[in-house]
Amino acid sequence: MARRGAGSFYARAADEDRRGNIEFMSTILFSSPIFGPVHSRRLGVSLGVNLLPADGKLCTFDCIYCECGFNGDHRTRSPYPTREEVARELEQTLERMQREGRGPDVITFAGNGEPTMHPEFADVIEDTIALRDHYFPEAKISVLSNATFSRRPAVFAALCRVDNNILKLDTVSADYIAHVDRPQVRYDVDELVKGLCAFEGKVQIQSLFMAGSYEGRSVDNTGDEYVAPWLEKLRLIAPEAVYVYTIDRDTPAKGLLKAAPEVLDGIAERVRALGLSCQVSY
């Protein structure tokens, strides 16, 4: 899940500490497989895991607002880091942090695209849980995903095992998704919602709202024609938390605008009226 493309409040943390990151103009690519730790006001000390190559972007979405840029602008021919490489570098980092007496509050799977694309995603999660339990058992494990592969049995099972299963749902309008999120794989929003319901509440939803236009069409999804159907799906999904946010950095597409704070607050209040926890990032 590329940051902002697959949805990520984690991107804000990157603004506070860029060590180990690779910047290309208005977009950011992360080191692989481990980056940070990043000091996040929301998450605390967050250690990043990037299961995608460090020199490019791989994602099942090609969001027009993704801070990692468009997929075609950062193509890579590098392989995924192997399960063994991820475990080795993660253990080395956790071991060093333990020696230094500063553990992470959270280990977050984010980076240069969609983490569940990794062919050994479920095995990596298993390794990460074991390492977390050994070095810093109080730390949480978070996955930021666009949910496109969440119905795959192995991915679903792995997401059920992490502390924060944070999945993207910007809207339930198929037309809007095609124009803005631009799925690169088969994507049926009704099937996706069924998959989100299958988590039986062990899921957190993050949704990006914005204004402006792209290719001559409005991308404003803050109106009731978008928000009301989205709220109805949230009622069915019954997530343990909802994150409402807006664009925060430069985007590869021009003409996009932040949603106003009062608009985001209004959407959040409607979420809370459903009895759901909701956090807002402006």
Side-chain angles (χ1 to χ4, degrees):
M1 181 189 69
R3 300 179 316 111
R4 289 290 180 274
S8 163
F9 56 76
Y10 189 57
R12 289 177 176 79
D15 288 336
E16 301 171 35
D17 187 342
R18 300 277 192 79
R19 290 170 296 181
N21 295 351
I22 305 168
E23 284 198 59
F24 291 95
M25 299 182 68
S26 64
T27 58
I28 298 174
L29 295 177
F30 284 108
S31 301
S32 180
I34 308 299
F35 62 93
V38 168
H39 299 278
S40 167
R41 286 166 293 186
R42 181 183 301 223
L43 300 176
V45 179
S46 184
L47 183 64
V49 182
N50 174 25
L51 296 184
L52 291 310
D55 63 347
K57 180 188 170 192
L58 290 172
C59 195
T60 50
F61 275 5
D62 194 15
C63 298
I64 64 174
Y65 57 77
C66 180
E67 288 186 351
C68 289
F70 290 129
N71 293 358
D73 292 341
H74 300 295
R75 296 194 182 279
T76 175
R77 295 183 180 179
S78 301
Y80 294 98
T82 66
R83 173 187 181 179
E84 292 74 21
E85 289 172 333
V86 176
R88 181 176 64 251
E89 293 200 26
L90 179 59
E91 181 164 27
Q92 289 173 351
T93 302
L94 293 176
E95 191 175 46
R96 185 183 71 248
M97 294 180 77
Q98 187 180 68
R99 289 197 309 269
E100 295 172 350
R102 56 182 190 103
D105 297 306
V106 62
I107 300 169
T108 305
F109 285 79
N112 302 341
E114 171 52 43
T116 64
M117 290 178 68
H118 194 287
E120 297 178 291
F121 175 75
D123 294 325
V124 171
I125 292 295
E126 180 180 345
D127 296 340
T128 301
I129 292 172
L131 289 169
R132 183 275 309 272
D133 291 349
H134 179 75
Y135 288 98
F136 296 103
E138 298 303 315
K140 305 296 185 183
I141 297 174
S142 300
V143 175
L144 305 181
S145 168
N146 62 27
T148 48
F149 290 160
S150 62
R151 300 195 74 181
R152 292 183 174 183
V155 172
F156 180 87
L159 291 174
C160 285
R161 298 187 65 194
V162 304
D163 301 288
N164 299 313
N165 171 30
I166 305 172
L167 303 183
K168 173 187 179 66
L169 186 67
D170 289 343
T171 177
V172 295
S173 165
D175 182 63
Y176 187 92
I177 291 166
H179 184 59
V180 172
D181 297 325
R182 306 197 304 176
Q184 305 298 293
V185 295
R186 182 181 176 276
Y187 186 92
D188 184 294
V189 69
D190 291 326
E191 287 185 9
L192 178 77
V193 170
K194 289 179 182 178
L196 296 174
C197 290
F199 285 104
E200 298 182 342
K202 188 172 172 48
V203 62
Q204 300 172 22
I205 300 298
Q206 59 176 351
S207 303
L208 183 140
F209 293 91
M210 63 180 175
S213 63
Y214 175 63
E215 294 184 340
R217 292 177 53 186
S218 171
V219 295
D220 189 332
N221 62 334
T222 64
D224 194 59
E225 69 272 26
Y226 291 107
V227 175
W230 171 79
L231 288 168
E232 178 58 25
K233 298 305 183 184
L234 288 184
R235 187 186 65 79
L236 296 174
I237 297 164
E240 56 191 8
V242 178
Y243 302 101
V244 169
Y245 67 107
T246 191
I247 53 178
D248 192 45
R249 290 181 53 81
D250 289 342
T251 58
K254 304 307 176 187
L256 311 184
L257 301 173
K258 294 170 69 76
E262 60 271 21
V263 172
L264 296 176
D265 286 338
I267 293 171
E269 284 306 311
R270 296 177 70 177
V271 173
R272 295 179 187 124
L274 298 175
L276 301 174
S277 170
C278 186
Q279 291 183 264
V280 182
S281 295
Y282 306 116

